[in-house]
Amino acid sequence: MTKEKMSTYVQRLNEVSNTIQKKLEDKRKEGKDTEKMSGSDFEKVVYDSLLEAGFDKDSIIYSTQKFPDFILEDKEAGTKLGVEVKKTDGTRWEVIGGSIYESLRNDVNDTYVLMAKLGGDKPEVRFRKYEECIADLRVTHSPRFYLNLDLEEGEDYLTKNNAKDLLELSGDELNRKIRQLLRTKKSTWWSGEETVAFSDLTQEEKGIYLNEGIALFPQVFKGDYQKFTPWLVYSCLVWCKNVRDIFSSGGNKFVEELGIYVSAIMFRALDNAKSIRQRILEITEEEQKTVWGKVVKTKEERLETWIDLVEENIRMSPDLIRNNRKLQRFQGYNNSEVCFSVREIYMDFLKTIILSDI
């Protein structure tokens, strides 16, 4: 379908939307309660209105079971335009969309939303391109788009999250992209067949979850994974047989620059400090309330809050203390003195990295 012909189709469908709104307004004036109209009833109104507008019956593919509800086919050009029909009994232009998998896997050239808002003083109808209405990615038993026809141009979820490629992906690539998008904000779940084992992730993905865990859950510094583990499963859809290994595998490390031994997680925090710092700066207020228990506004406060939480949670194992006591600099120190010194040296260095360039 040429650009000009697509524009003509869209114009005709906008006119259909106006006609449907007039029909609903007339029903309301006649005393009929449009708010009690079912979804299938509204789809029937749309179908009849398409025929009245001159769309040929043979060019309309209508299915109540598949996405989108209507496909308008130009058989001569071999192209298709999809129309997903939605209605809300409320007063806002918001509604749950279809499953991501069904919403993306169709053979139409473009998909639009035709939506009726039946609440309020009068019924209204809008027609808009589907991807421009995607406000969020939410999960029930499967990941679904959340639509909002009130979005400003450029404020849709795909644009804001640099995820336009989501519309082109399938299979493992699509699942990987969904996990990436969901990992930072969601606390919901869908069926186990959609989860992935941590061991099957790429090294890049494993690194992302390591850094996320250190940034969001400083209690992992003391070997406490009670908050990180459910977050990994329910928010990221990733299952790990031994969560401890994500942070602690490899044992103690000697840091030449500091002249001390540090635990595996202490070392990984230094090694990935740049990425961790960036994640702390990007943390949302909702995440702060959930994982930190408080909200801080400025970038400096966020970084300092994280530093304080690390210092509060950092622990020294007996092995770490023994390794450091063997060093010349700690000769004659008892265990408590070694703990204090190692903590002080490490935290001073970590603060320098994390709090730089504020």
Side-chain angles (χ1 to χ4, degrees):
M1 188 180 294
T2 65
K3 194 172 183 179
E4 292 74 21
K5 197 160 190 177
M6 178 67 78
S7 179
T8 300
Y9 260 67
V10 172
Q11 184 178 347
R12 289 178 68 190
L13 287 166
N14 270 310
E15 292 170 358
V16 169
S17 300
N18 294 333
T19 299
I20 295 171
Q21 178 166 314
K22 182 66 168 54
K23 287 182 179 181
L24 296 177
E25 289 174 348
D26 291 343
K27 285 180 181 290
R28 180 77 64 88
K29 290 176 182 176
E30 293 168 6
K32 295 180 180 178
D33 192 352
T34 55
E35 291 184 43
K36 292 184 178 178
M37 177 182 288
S38 69
S40 57
D41 288 339
F42 181 56
E43 288 174 11
K44 178 69 164 56
V45 172
V46 173
Y47 182 65
D48 290 343
S49 299
L50 288 171
L51 295 178
E52 293 166 10
F55 286 92
D56 185 71
K57 185 175 183 179
D58 291 337
S59 71
I60 303 174
I61 302 171
Y62 173 42
S63 172
T64 59
Q65 303 298 321
K66 294 182 180 180
F67 177 94
D69 298 303
F70 293 94
I71 295 176
L72 308 178
E73 183 176 14
D74 185 327
K75 296 184 179 180
E76 183 179 330
T79 53
K80 300 174 182 178
L81 185 147
V83 179
E84 177 71 353
V85 176
K86 293 291 182 182
K87 70 114 188 167
T88 176
D89 298 329
T91 59
R92 300 166 67 91
W93 290 99
E94 299 176 8
V95 68
I96 293 292
S99 162
I100 288 180
Y101 297 106
E102 68 178 18
S103 298
L104 300 180
R105 292 175 184 172
N106 58 74
D107 59 352
V108 301
N109 297 85
D110 258 326
T111 302
Y112 286 76
V113 183
L114 193 158
M115 180 172 169
K117 179 171 69 67
L118 303 179
D121 296 333
K122 66 175 185 177
E124 297 180 68
V125 177
R126 288 185 184 176
F127 181 75
R128 192 172 179 185
K129 199 168 186 179
Y130 191 89
E131 63 185 78
E132 294 176 355
C133 307
I134 298 173
D136 200 358
L137 179 56
R138 299 185 179 180
V139 182
T140 51
H141 61 285
S142 67
R144 306 176 76 85
F145 288 129
Y146 184 79
L147 307 180
N148 181 353
L149 274 69
D150 252 346
L151 289 180
E152 298 289 338
E153 184 177 352
E155 288 298 306
D156 64 277
Y157 181 85
L158 300 182
T159 299
K160 289 175 68 176
N161 289 276
N162 193 28
K164 289 289 188 180
D165 60 336
L166 190 69
L167 302 173
E168 311 297 330
L169 301 177
S170 61
D172 290 341
E173 286 185 319
L174 176 58
N175 285 330
R176 186 176 296 115
K177 185 68 175 184
I178 292 171
R179 289 196 303 273
Q180 178 187 350
L181 290 168
L182 286 173
R183 75 175 192 273
T184 60
K185 293 190 290 186
K186 305 301 175 191
S187 57
T188 43
W189 166 257
W190 76 78
S191 61
E193 63 184 5
E194 304 295 352
T195 62
V196 64
F198 187 84
S199 58
D200 291 338
L201 299 177
T202 64
Q203 285 302 121
E204 180 182 4
E205 285 184 304
K206 289 177 180 178
I208 288 172
Y209 295 123
L210 166 71
N211 295 337
E212 293 269 329
I214 293 175
L216 298 178
F217 307 98
Q219 57 267 37
V220 297
F221 277 87
K222 64 179 180 182
D224 181 352
Y225 313 115
Q226 291 187 59
K227 289 186 177 180
F228 173 79
T229 301
W231 173 84
L232 185 68
V233 175
Y234 295 113
S235 295
C236 309
L237 314 167
V238 175
W239 176 79
C240 184
K241 183 178 180 181
N242 193 343
V243 171
R244 179 182 177 277
D245 285 349
I246 297 175
F247 305 99
S248 301
S249 64
N252 300 327
K253 306 282 186 180
F254 185 74
V255 181
E256 292 282 352
E257 192 171 358
L258 301 182
I260 59 172
Y261 284 95
V262 298
S263 66
I265 186 166
M266 292 165 70
F267 179 80
R268 290 185 170 110
L270 295 179
D271 203 35
N272 297 280
K274 184 177 179 180
S275 297
I276 293 167
R277 182 182 191 274
Q278 186 59 39
R279 182 62 180 91
I280 297 165
L281 293 176
E282 294 172 354
I283 190 171
T284 66
E285 290 190 7
E286 181 182 353
E287 287 175 324
Q288 289 181 56
K289 284 187 286 188
T290 301
V291 300
W292 290 357
K294 62 179 179 179
V295 175
V296 290
K297 297 291 185 180
T298 69
K299 292 181 177 181
E300 183 175 4
E301 285 178 319
R302 291 178 187 178
L303 296 173
E304 289 177 346
T305 295
W306 182 81
I307 286 289
D308 290 342
L309 289 170
V310 170
E311 194 159 17
E312 177 185 321
N313 283 283
I314 205 164
R315 295 291 184 273
M316 307 284 171
S317 70
D319 281 346
L320 182 58
I321 295 171
R322 276 195 296 271
N323 285 335
N324 277 297
R325 287 193 69 175
K326 295 175 184 177
L327 298 174
Q328 182 64 38
R329 66 185 301 174
F330 294 128
Q331 290 299 308
Y333 282 51
N334 61 34
N335 287 352
S336 295
E337 290 169 336
V338 169
C339 279
F340 179 84
S341 296
V342 169
R343 181 194 300 270
E344 189 174 55
I345 294 167
Y346 177 81
M347 289 306 306
D348 284 347
F349 189 66
L350 185 63
K351 287 176 186 177
T352 300
I353 299 173
I354 296 297
L355 300 179
S356 62
D357 302 322
I358 292 180

